[in-house]
Amino acid sequence: MTRVGHNHALRAGLLMIGSTACFVMGDTCIKLLGPGLPIGQIICLVGLFSSAFLMIIGAQQGILRNVPQIFTGRVLLRSTLDVIGSFMFVAALMHMPIANLATVMQTV
């Protein structure tokens, strides 16, 4: 493997570890906020933070000008199903141990 290829693989691995850590921290925050906030508010907070992060990345890469092109029926259907899945995930997270949920998610 060349030096450049090795650096690219190392960077990709570190980014995967970082993203997994972010998921665990996010799930932990949801678990802690769950008893005090309704599911809708938790999902709204997660959505706001995620949207802000993605907008920064999209602006940096110059892809925000293509946003109007994605509003097709299939994308809107997938978004609707994703919202339903998010409600179910947060409800499951609030009612079961985080270790069990992490095990199920790793299996998926």
Side-chain angles (χ1 to χ4, degrees):
M1 186 180 268
T2 65
R3 184 92 175 135
V4 174
H6 178 72
N7 288 340
H8 183 68
L10 178 64
R11 183 174 179 229
L14 291 173
L15 288 171
M16 286 298 295
I17 291 169
S19 66
T20 302
C22 288
F23 275 114
V24 171
M25 287 187 294
D27 291 348
T28 303
C29 289
I30 290 171
K31 185 78 169 167
L32 294 173
L33 290 173
L37 289 175
I39 294 175
Q41 287 182 355
I42 292 172
I43 291 174
C44 182
L45 288 173
V46 171
L48 288 174
F49 283 110
S50 300
S51 295
F53 184 69
L54 290 173
M55 291 291 257
I56 291 169
I57 292 173
Q60 181 185 26
Q61 295 182 358
I63 58 173
L64 291 180
R65 64 181 175 270
N66 297 328
V67 170
Q69 296 173 356
I70 65 168
F71 289 109
T72 64
R74 288 183 178 188
V75 172
L76 294 175
L77 176 63
R78 179 179 178 190
S79 298
T80 302
L81 294 173
D82 194 32
V83 168
I84 293 168
S86 295
F87 273 96
M88 291 179 183
F89 179 80
V90 172
L93 185 59
M94 291 186 327
H95 292 91
M96 66 188 298
I98 197 165
N100 293 356
L101 187 65
T103 302
V104 171
M105 293 307 294
Q106 290 296 321
T107 303
V108 171

